[in-house]
Amino acid sequence: MVSLNNPQFLISFQNQFLKTNLPKITIGDNIKVGVKIIEGNKERVQFYEGTIIAKNNSSINTTITVRKVLQGIGIERIFLIHSPKIDSIKVLRSSKVRRSKLYYLRSLRGKASRLK
C-alpha cells in the first residue's frame, strides 16, 4: 500500500492535473481569463480581463491575482491557473515591470496606473 504522506507519490499524483497548454504569463501582463460559470443546468464561459499584479508559484496551487478597474472601482480576483474552472488564458499585452508584486497600483488612479 502506498503511503499518502510520501512526497514522491504526491508529486506524481499532482502532475496528472497540471495544465500544459498555458501561455507564459508574467507580472504586468494584461490577460483575458475565461472562467466556466454554471447557471442551473447550463454552462457558459465568462471572461475576466485585467492586469496581473501578483503570482504565487507552487506546482498545482499556482495562483495569479488579476486586477481590473470597473466604473472607477478596482476589483481583484485570484485564480488557480490549473483549476478545471479556468477555460482559457490569453495574454493581450505584456508590460515591462521591475517588481514581483504590483500592489502599488491599488493607490494609483486613471492614467497613472498604466504600465509601459
Side-chain angles (χ1 to χ4, degrees):
M1 179 160 171
V2 176
S3 171
L4 295 179
N5 293 333
N6 184 356
Q8 296 297 332
F9 172 73
L10 290 176
I11 290 170
S12 65
F13 184 74
Q14 288 177 355
N15 286 342
Q16 298 173 14
F17 300 102
L18 291 176
K19 291 185 179 179
T20 57
N21 58 354
L22 293 174
K24 183 172 175 11
I25 52 178
T26 58
I27 308 299
D29 287 352
N30 273 25
I31 63 168
K32 190 175 193 178
V33 181
V35 184
K36 292 179 185 174
I37 305 289
I38 298 172
E39 294 173 340
N41 57 359
K42 294 182 188 175
E43 183 176 300
R44 66 183 181 89
V45 177
Q46 181 175 352
F47 291 98
Y48 189 92
E49 189 173 329
T51 304
I52 298 177
I53 63 168
K55 184 176 179 183
N56 296 323
N57 291 317
S58 62
S59 181
I60 199 162
N61 295 321
T62 302
T63 61
I64 54 173
T65 304
V66 181
R67 176 178 175 83
K68 73 175 178 178
V69 178
L70 186 64
Q71 297 178 354
I73 299 172
I75 301 168
E76 292 180 7
R77 190 163 172 191
I78 299 172
F79 295 103
L80 271 166
I81 64 172
H82 295 291
S83 170
K85 290 205 178 259
I86 302 296
D87 185 53
S88 63
I89 297 177
K90 183 178 179 185
V91 177
L92 302 177
R93 193 181 93 205
S94 293
S95 300
K96 180 184 171 192
V97 294
R98 298 176 67 174
R99 302 279 180 275
S100 63
K101 307 285 190 226
L102 301 181
Y103 295 143
Y104 68 90
L105 290 178
R106 293 172 176 166
S107 61
L108 300 179
R109 301 284 177 256
K111 288 187 177 180
S113 66
R114 291 183 300 178
L115 297 173
K116 294 184 180 183

